[in-house]
Amino acid sequence: MANLDVNVGKLKKNAFRYSKVRGETASRIRIPGGVIDASSMSRVVEIAEKYGTGVINITNRQGIEIPGISLADMDKVNEEIQKIIDSLRINQTEKGKGYPSSGTRNVIACPGARLCPFGCYDTTAFAQKMENSIYPNDRHVKIAFTGCSNDCAKVRLADFGIIGMTEPQYDKDRCVACGACVNYCRRRSVGALELVNGKIVRDAAKCIGCGVCVVYCPTRAWTRSKEHYFRLVLLGRTGKKNPRLAEDFIKWADEESILKMVKNTYAYIEEYIDPDAVEHKEHIGYIVDRTGFEEFKKWLFDGVELGPKAEVNQRPYWGGRHYDRYGG
Amino acid sequence: MGYVMDRAGFAEVIAALLKDYRIFAPVRKKGAGRFTDVDAVIYDEIRDAGEIELELKSDYAPKEFLTPLSETLLYFTEDEVKESDFDERPVLLFGRSCDLHSLRRLDQIYLNNGPARDPFYERRRKAVRCVLIGCGHSYDNCFCVSMGSNRCDDGYVFSVDLIDDRIHSNVLDGSFIKFFSEVPGAEEKDVLPRFVTENDVKVEIPEEVPREIVRSGLWDEYTSRCINCGRCNFVCPTCTCYTMQDVFYSDNGRAGERRRVGASCMVDGYTDVAGGGQYRRKNGERMRFKVLHKISDFKKRFGYQMCVGCGRCDDICPEYISFSNIINKVNAASREVQA
Ligand code: SF4
Ligand code: SF4
Ligand code: SF4
Ligand code: SF4
Ligand code: SF4
């Protein structure tokens, strides 16, 4: 292929990969919430066979990459993926032109309450709602949803990690003191329950809202709260300078506030991103390292009214190795 | 005498009954299941006909009114004892055919098992009149036909069948006719409650279970499969075991209360004895005890089967252990022994 003249920035923004194989690219399919309908999946297969090399990459962030596509075929591939984009209800600016941006990464989710017995909410639905509220956007933001404190989605590596919680409700008149909840809370969770005078006492400060007691109670003495609650953890990251786990920010947060805080983050990034950042891309965490958390918090909370149960950790402190300061 | 009416008419019947009766019926509780956004059907006192779940089989049994999961029987101080208060108003207890059959088993144990009658059970039992919920079809895991509990010809004051959004009631007790006859739009008609005559699940129980079954290898797999959670017992309309809690109030160690709480032969502690002994340590042994009690030992003593075939134990077992399947395994093994 001679004369290849491709705008690499545009290619990346259009959700194609810059490949080490000259003249080739990979098409990146967004799958918010990790659920794709079977006919879209068949279409992926068709595209991989027609334009790619007949293989499909499953990415770390629950997306799909179809590698081995010739740069010359990008327009055709964009037309072919339109049905997938429609079917997954991805916000788009122009039909037939593929994805409008790739900076804000695929929003991921563990199977959650659709499948998993421990899931405290419909992770996929919340992930799709989040996607809908923030995409398309060029800013590099990673958001991940997990159904419970097991954190199978590894949300502590994301900028925003949303962990499902339930506030267990105790009906003492249905409790027969079998001890199952005490036993399983201790063995599978944090040990927040105790049998006192034939009834259960829950240490509310220790309880992480995992719902294990509810799953194991044989009599429905423990049930889930009507409200679905969340633990919001912030600014985890991998990478070269200072990889670290996300830290707890709000316990017992609600859905609406979380949607709003994530949305607010984009305004904060626009204000404070390093204008000289390589490829205009800077992890939020590094921006916050510069402005201080107080400033970030101010922006986050703009117009947010937390519920009465919410407990805010006003000064999270992040750890991790600082290779940029002390080397490795 | 039978009546057919729309839901609004039935709501009037219930509203009128609520003036004289407390009504306990299966209620679909939103989100009360083990898992997120899964409902559970549990007995509760209702205040409105709309709360009564007429379509789903209840997850938990009507025995929860007669033998509450946890009930304070008496209060004590230094040398005085006071029985707990009890609301003496008459009670209407809704139940399906198998449930109504289960009451005979409860009565057997609490009232007619030796010389003493249990007064705390009796005060509840005396208050109860039953309302039959007809079964338009068999539910998952039901085997009432095999157990002969699929029909009830008496033992209820009126029946309720929801068919095409209309309530069909057969009023057996003449004193209840007045609640139906005055409802506007209620048609007088011959009504018979619906009963199932066939279940997908069928069991065969040997006339006499041979002693050798106790040592059969068939129980072994349950030692690892069963998690001894006791759900199968807590939902069973015929399980009657309980344990006592004498509780001393912590800020005054000389006053307290005696509670009776449900117990399960599958759960740890059931066979604990002084000195740290435990008769049935393995879950397979507990399963053997439970199954043989339900289909053999009770019958040896009282002449009829304990299990009514409601299938709730199968419905609820988190480990997919099927009680009816075990019955059939016992049957096959018994034949082998006898052959
Ligand atoms: S994080 Fe919780 S809900 Fe999600 S898959 Fe793991 S155990 Fe299930
Ligand atoms: S929700 Fe989890 S941590 Fe809280 S009491 Fe129940 S099992 Fe323990
Ligand atoms: S598991 Fe349920 S019944 Fe058993 S002790 Fe806990 S709350 Fe009570
Ligand atoms: S048979 Fe099933 S329901 Fe019964 S104790 Fe075992 S695991 Fe629990
Ligand atoms: S043993 Fe199972 S099927 Fe038989 S009455 Fe009890 S719950 Fe119903």
Side-chain angles (χ1 to χ4, degrees):
Chain A
M1 241 174 299
N3 266 358
L4 265 179
D5 186 348
V6 175
N7 182 328
V8 168
K10 273 195 184 156
L11 160 145
K12 288 185 184 170
K13 184 171 152 70
N14 197 198
F16 284 97
R17 174 177 287 279
Y18 181 85
S19 169
K20 67 173 268 200
V21 183
R22 196 148 181 93
E24 278 188 7
T25 181
S27 165
R28 305 162 72 185
I29 308 294
R30 267 183 108 75
I31 309 177
V35 174
I36 180 168
D37 58 290
S39 64
S40 295
M41 198 62 166
S42 312
R43 193 156 284 269
V44 168
V45 172
E46 278 168 32
I47 297 169
E49 281 169 349
K50 194 162 156 197
Y51 297 96
T53 50
V55 303
I56 294 164
N57 282 4
I58 306 297
T59 74
N60 283 328
R61 296 192 58 83
Q62 290 183 328
I64 285 176
E65 286 197 13
I66 309 170
I69 292 173
S70 161
L71 286 171
D73 285 335
M74 282 194 296
D75 290 345
K76 279 188 247 164
V77 169
N78 271 342
E79 274 167 33
E80 300 250 5
I81 60 176
Q82 185 59 40
K83 278 216 171 111
I84 302 174
I85 291 173
D86 289 340
S87 170
L88 296 183
R89 295 204 189 84
I90 308 291
N91 296 335
Q92 213 180 1
T93 35
E94 206 179 335
K95 290 238 174 212
K97 300 285 184 208
Y99 295 96
S101 79
S102 64
T104 289
R105 297 299 198 243
N106 190 42
V107 180
I108 68 179
C110 79
R114 289 193 184 179
L115 287 179
C116 178
F118 294 106
C120 291
Y121 68 105
D122 185 338
T123 47
T124 302
F126 197 172
Q128 288 167 345
K129 206 182 252 188
M130 180 63 81
E131 160 86 10
N132 209 273
S133 130
I134 54 163
Y135 186 82
N137 206 300
D138 292 330
R139 295 310 179 194
H140 191 98
V141 177
K142 289 182 179 141
I143 305 163
F145 290 86
T146 204
C148 76
S149 304
N150 276 353
D151 192 6
C152 297
K154 299 177 177 44
V155 306
R156 288 200 184 258
L157 299 177
D159 296 311
F160 289 92
I162 293 102
I163 302 172
M165 297 175 82
T166 187
E167 187 191 33
Q169 307 290 306
Y170 182 58
D171 178 353
K172 66 171 178 21
D173 293 330
R174 295 192 69 82
C175 176
V176 297
C178 71
C181 55
V182 179
N183 179 24
Y184 282 99
C185 180
R186 179 169 46 78
R187 288 164 59 202
R188 279 202 107 124
S189 193
V190 299
L193 299 177
E194 205 188 339
L195 192 61
V196 179
N197 259 351
K199 297 290 170 191
I200 302 297
V201 177
R202 180 175 68 105
D203 180 341
K206 198 171 182 195
C207 170
I208 57 167
C210 64
V212 159
C213 49
V214 181
V215 171
Y216 284 99
C217 175
T219 63
R220 313 323 305 130
W222 283 119
T223 51
R224 292 166 191 277
S225 51
K226 277 196 194 66
E227 300 78 9
H228 295 161
Y229 292 105
F230 308 92
R231 187 193 293 276
L232 176 63
V233 299
L234 289 184
L235 307 180
R237 63 191 173 205
T238 54
K240 301 183 187 74
K241 292 178 199 283
N242 170 220
R244 65 190 193 187
L245 290 180
E247 282 296 327
D248 288 15
F249 180 42
I250 306 177
K251 188 180 177 185
W252 309 113
D254 64 290
E255 176 174 316
E256 206 187 316
S257 303
I258 291 172
L259 284 166
K260 210 160 202 169
M261 285 187 277
V262 173
K263 196 128 187 119
N264 286 345
T265 298
Y266 286 91
Y268 165 83
I269 297 174
E270 292 315 321
E271 179 76 12
Y272 289 113
I273 192 167
D274 176 357
D276 298 328
V278 182
E279 295 188 10
H280 313 290
K281 184 172 130 181
E282 194 179 23
H283 283 134
I284 320 164
Y286 291 108
I287 307 177
V288 175
D289 291 347
R290 240 185 359 256
T291 68
F293 184 70
E294 283 302 311
E295 181 61 17
F296 180 43
K297 198 166 68 185
K298 215 170 71 193
W299 287 74
L300 273 183
F301 279 149
D302 183 36
V304 170
E305 259 181 72
L306 292 171
K309 287 207 78 69
E311 291 168 24
V312 180
N313 175 12
Q314 299 291 354
R315 284 204 175 72
Y317 176 79
W318 285 268
R321 300 279 304 219
H322 281 273
Y323 296 106
D324 50 343
R325 287 186 211 155
Y326 313 113
Chain B
M1 185 72 74
Y3 294 91
V4 177
M5 70 217 94
D6 58 12
R7 283 176 190 259
F10 182 60
E12 283 193 33
V13 172
I14 293 296
L17 285 166
L18 279 167
K19 296 198 177 101
D20 300 335
Y21 294 89
R22 295 199 287 154
I23 301 182
F24 288 81
V27 175
R28 182 174 182 156
K29 307 257 180 187
K30 209 167 177 310
R34 297 170 75 197
F35 304 135
T36 294
D37 300 333
V38 174
D39 301 342
V41 181
I42 302 177
Y43 271 76
D44 204 350
E45 184 166 3
I46 61 112
R47 302 209 154 41
D48 178 294
E51 289 178 64
I52 306 173
E53 174 57 54
L54 292 173
E55 287 176 274
L56 300 173
K57 170 165 75 172
S58 67
D59 296 307
Y60 288 79
K63 72 171 180 188
E64 287 185 13
F65 172 73
L66 289 160
T67 58
L69 283 161
S70 173
E71 182 180 27
T72 298
L73 302 183
L74 42 93
Y75 300 90
F76 49 84
T77 59
E78 280 139 3
D79 43 35
E80 270 174 64
V81 173
K82 181 194 171 295
E83 278 186 17
S84 58
D85 294 334
F86 178 67
D87 186 336
E88 306 276 351
R89 276 177 299 161
V91 165
L92 288 178
L93 184 59
F94 278 61
R96 295 178 180 276
S97 179
C98 56
D99 296 329
L100 268 49
H101 282 269
S102 75
L103 299 196
R104 179 180 175 201
R105 282 77 176 161
L106 302 184
D107 290 350
Q108 189 79 61
I109 298 301
Y110 281 95
L111 302 176
N112 304 308
N113 181 20
R117 295 164 76 81
D118 186 300
F120 298 100
Y121 177 83
E122 195 163 30
R123 67 183 185 178
R124 288 175 173 270
R125 184 64 174 97
K126 271 192 185 150
V128 166
R129 317 287 309 272
C130 292
V131 175
L132 174 70
I133 305 175
C135 293
H137 57 84
S138 179
Y139 293 83
D140 282 352
N141 299 318
C142 294
F143 56 100
C144 52
V145 177
S146 301
M147 302 312 293
S149 65
N150 55 315
R151 298 187 63 91
C152 298
D153 298 319
D154 51 24
Y156 60 93
V157 289
F158 63 86
S159 65
V160 183
D161 275 271
L162 178 63
I163 306 170
D164 296 333
D165 223 33
R166 290 176 76 74
I167 302 286
H168 297 239
S169 285
N170 177 30
V171 185
L172 270 194
D173 183 320
S175 67
F176 281 78
I177 287 182
K178 63 171 190 269
F179 293 103
F180 291 85
S181 59
E182 279 157 32
V183 169
E187 298 168 59
E188 233 182 88
K189 247 192 183 168
D190 280 341
V191 171
L192 276 181
R194 293 176 300 174
F195 298 121
V196 298
T197 51
E198 207 186 343
N199 309 118
D200 288 345
V201 178
K202 298 176 178 64
V203 300
E204 258 183 81
I205 305 182
E207 198 43 49
E208 209 171 306
V209 178
R211 289 185 61 84
E212 289 82 348
I213 290 300
V214 170
R215 283 181 299 276
S216 161
L218 82 86
W219 309 109
D220 296 345
E221 65 172 290
Y222 302 104
T223 292
S224 56
R225 282 182 64 194
C226 169
I227 59 166
N228 60 269
C229 66
R231 281 179 176 78
C232 47
N233 298 120
F234 296 124
V235 299
C236 176
T238 70
C239 272
T240 51
C241 285
Y242 61 78
T243 187
M244 289 306 211
Q245 295 179 340
D246 278 349
V247 171
F248 295 84
Y249 301 141
S250 53
D251 48 355
N252 175 358
R254 280 187 288 195
E257 64 183 73
R258 169 167 290 185
R259 283 185 215 130
R260 169 148 80 187
V261 297
S264 153
C265 56
M266 302 303 291
V267 169
D268 285 349
Y270 186 85
T271 63
D272 287 0
V273 289
Q278 203 186 60
Y279 290 114
R280 293 184 291 276
R281 220 173 271 279
K282 292 185 187 151
N283 295 341
E285 294 167 341
R286 298 178 191 182
M287 186 65 80
R288 181 201 71 220
F289 172 84
K290 177 185 79 177
V291 172
L292 294 184
H293 184 220
K294 295 272 182 210
I295 63 162
S296 170
D297 298 332
F298 183 98
K299 179 165 169 250
K300 276 188 201 152
R301 185 165 164 82
F302 301 113
Y304 61 99
Q305 288 297 1
M306 179 179 179
C307 171
V308 293
C310 71
R312 286 188 177 94
C313 48
D314 281 23
D315 297 338
I316 202 140
C317 177
E319 302 301 315
Y320 287 101
I321 291 169
S322 164
F323 178 66
S324 54
N325 200 21
I326 299 177
I327 298 181
N328 287 330
K329 283 189 195 170
V330 169
N331 190 49
S334 301
R335 281 177 194 214
E336 237 168 72
V337 172
Q338 280 156 342

